Amino acid sequence: MTVVLSSLERVRRSKAIEQVMSAKVQRTGDFILRKLAQKQSLLSTTSNGNVLKSAPPLVVGINGAQGSGKTTLVRGLVEFLRARNIASVGFSLDDIYLPHREQQELAQTHRDNPLLQFRGQAGTHDVELGHRTLAALLRNDSAVDIPAYDKSLNGGYGDRKPLSEWQATRPPVDVVLFEGWSLGFRALDNREFARFIEQVRKPGGGSVLCKHSRRYSDQNLKEINENLEKYESLLYPLIDAWVYMRVADADVVYRWRKEQEDELAATGRPSLSDKQLEDFVTRFLPAYELALDKLDKRGFVSSGVLPAPDTLRMHLDLERNVVAWDHKF
C-alpha cells in the first residue's frame, strides 16, 4: 500500500533531511580540505618547492547505497568548496553508462544473465570513457567535457546524452567528486568467490546475507564479479581519497527507493508500483552481497598518493542519520 504524505509532513521531512545533510557536508568538506592540502603539499615537495602550473586536482570517490543521498551530498560539497574559492566538479558513475545500443548488444550477448539485461551492474558502464575523463581532469591543462546520461530515454532504458549536452569544465579544477552506488566495489579472487558461492548455496536456504544472490546462477554472479576487475584497474587508481556512506544492511535500499516513489505519487508524477519497485531493486542487491564484506574488511583501492587513512566513513541508520564517523585504511 502506498503511503501518501501530507504537505506538512513532506515539509517537515524535507527540513529534517536538510539539517542532516548540512552536517554531512560540513564534516565531509573538512575531510576533503585536509586531503587537498596534503596533496598540494606533496606536489610542492616533489616539484622542489615550485607550484606546478597545472597541478592535478584531488579526486574523491564517494560510495553510498542507492537512495543514501550521494547526489545531494555532491551538490552540497560543490557549494561548500565554491564558498572557499575552491573549484570543483562532480559527476556520477551513472553518467558513463553504455549508450542504449551498446547496452542492448550486451544484453543480447549475455541473454542468459538477467543481471545484464538492464543498466546498473558492473559491465554496463563505459569504463574506458570514465578513465579518459578522470585522466583528462587530472592533467588539468585543457577543457574537459563531462559525460551525461538521461535515464528517461527509450522508455526508461536510458541513453547517453549528446556531446552538446555534456558538462563543460575548464581548468584549473581543484577537486573532482566522483560518486556511484557501486563505485569502489572490488572483485573477489577465486578463493573469496568460492566462499561466497558456498554461502549462497548453503543447504537450508543459504546465508541470509546472500538471500538475493540465490535467484541467480553461479555463472551469472561470476560474470558480475569478473567485470569488477576493469573498474579496479582503470578507475580506482585515479582516485586519491574516498567517502563511504556505509549502511549495515543493503535491504535499506528498497525502503529508501520506496520513499522516493511515494514522494512522486504524492505529487502526481509517474511512480513504480510496489511489485515494479521490488523487481527493480532486487536486480541490484546481489552486487552489494558480493562486494560489501570485502569493502568493509579491506577497504578501497586508491592512487596511493596520500598517506593513510584515505577514507572517511559515515555510518548511516535507516533514516540516513549519521550514527558514527571514522577514518579507515
Side-chain angles (χ1 to χ4, degrees):
M1 181 178 68
T2 299
V3 178
V4 179
L5 299 177
S6 69
S7 297
L8 180 58
E9 288 171 328
R10 289 200 299 274
V11 170
R12 286 174 176 169
R13 173 178 287 184
S14 178
K15 288 183 176 179
I17 292 173
E18 286 177 6
Q19 291 175 348
V20 171
M21 185 55 67
S22 177
K24 291 176 184 174
V25 168
Q26 182 67 51
R27 184 71 177 263
T28 306
D30 289 343
F31 168 76
I32 290 173
L33 292 178
R34 290 195 300 274
K35 292 302 172 184
L36 177 61
Q38 286 180 349
K39 185 167 186 178
Q40 291 176 337
S41 176
L42 288 168
L43 290 172
S44 176
T45 301
T46 56
S47 59
N48 298 318
N50 297 318
V51 177
L52 299 176
K53 184 177 180 181
S54 57
L58 175 77
V59 181
V60 181
I62 300 176
N63 171 284
Q66 291 145 301
S68 60
K70 299 181 301 300
T71 303
T72 305
L73 177 65
V74 168
R75 284 199 297 263
L77 288 171
V78 168
E79 293 300 321
F80 175 93
L81 295 169
R82 181 181 294 126
R84 291 155 180 79
N85 295 316
I86 297 171
S88 64
V89 60
F91 69 111
S92 172
L93 192 63
D94 291 358
D95 290 319
I96 60 170
Y97 276 133
L98 293 171
H100 178 60
R101 187 181 68 180
E102 292 182 29
Q103 174 59 45
Q104 286 183 311
E105 292 171 353
L106 177 73
Q108 181 65 22
T109 303
H110 298 271
R111 64 175 66 90
D112 294 329
N113 193 338
L115 295 171
L116 293 174
Q117 299 307 300
F118 194 75
R119 66 174 187 270
Q121 291 282 2
T124 65
H125 302 91
D126 187 340
V127 180
E128 288 82 2
L129 173 61
H131 175 87
R132 292 195 303 273
T133 302
L134 288 174
L137 288 167
L138 281 164
R139 287 194 296 273
N140 218 3
D141 59 3
S142 60
V144 179
D145 292 319
I146 307 296
Y149 192 89
D150 187 342
K151 297 178 182 178
S152 69
L153 297 176
N154 297 303
Y157 280 89
D159 205 351
R160 185 174 298 163
K161 289 184 178 181
L163 182 60
S164 61
E165 297 181 28
W166 290 16
Q167 177 185 357
T169 301
R170 298 189 179 281
V173 174
D174 301 307
V175 176
V176 176
L177 304 167
F178 186 31
E179 59 93 353
W181 69 271
S182 63
L183 188 68
F185 283 9
R186 302 171 61 179
L188 305 181
D189 62 29
N190 290 338
R191 182 176 298 180
E192 291 167 334
F193 185 75
R195 285 200 298 265
F196 171 72
I197 292 298
E198 182 181 352
Q199 290 298 312
V200 172
R201 309 301 175 201
K202 196 172 183 179
S207 170
V208 68
L209 299 177
C210 305
K211 60 184 179 182
H212 299 287
S213 298
R214 290 199 296 271
R215 300 176 179 220
Y216 305 97
S217 72
D218 293 2
Q219 182 60 32
N220 292 161
L221 298 169
K222 183 180 180 182
E223 288 177 351
I224 300 304
N225 184 61
E226 291 176 343
N227 288 342
L228 285 169
E229 294 174 0
K230 182 183 287 189
Y231 298 69
E232 194 167 339
S233 63
L234 291 182
L235 294 182
Y236 306 164
L238 302 182
I239 297 174
D240 300 308
W242 289 88
V243 175
Y244 182 16
M245 304 174 76
R246 184 182 182 277
V247 295
D249 185 351
D251 278 353
V252 74
V253 171
Y254 177 82
R255 172 176 173 163
W256 288 345
R257 279 305 306 258
K258 180 162 173 51
E259 288 176 0
Q260 294 172 345
E261 295 301 322
D262 289 347
E263 288 285 340
L264 291 173
T267 56
R269 288 177 288 176
S271 61
L272 299 177
S273 68
D274 288 352
K275 181 63 169 64
Q276 289 173 323
L277 179 60
E278 181 180 1
D279 290 342
F280 177 79
V281 171
T282 53
R283 205 182 296 129
F284 297 94
L285 291 174
Y288 291 101
E289 296 175 346
L290 184 74
L292 287 185
D293 183 62
K294 183 169 184 173
L295 200 59
D296 282 334
K297 291 178 178 177
R298 297 180 56 185
F300 296 87
V301 172
S302 62
S303 66
V305 170
L306 301 178
D310 63 6
T311 301
L312 174 67
R313 296 198 308 183
M314 62 176 83
H315 299 260
L316 304 182
D317 65 13
L318 295 179
E319 301 300 329
R320 303 181 186 82
N321 297 308
V322 180
V323 295
W325 296 87
D326 62 38
H327 294 275
K328 189 80 171 177
F329 312 108

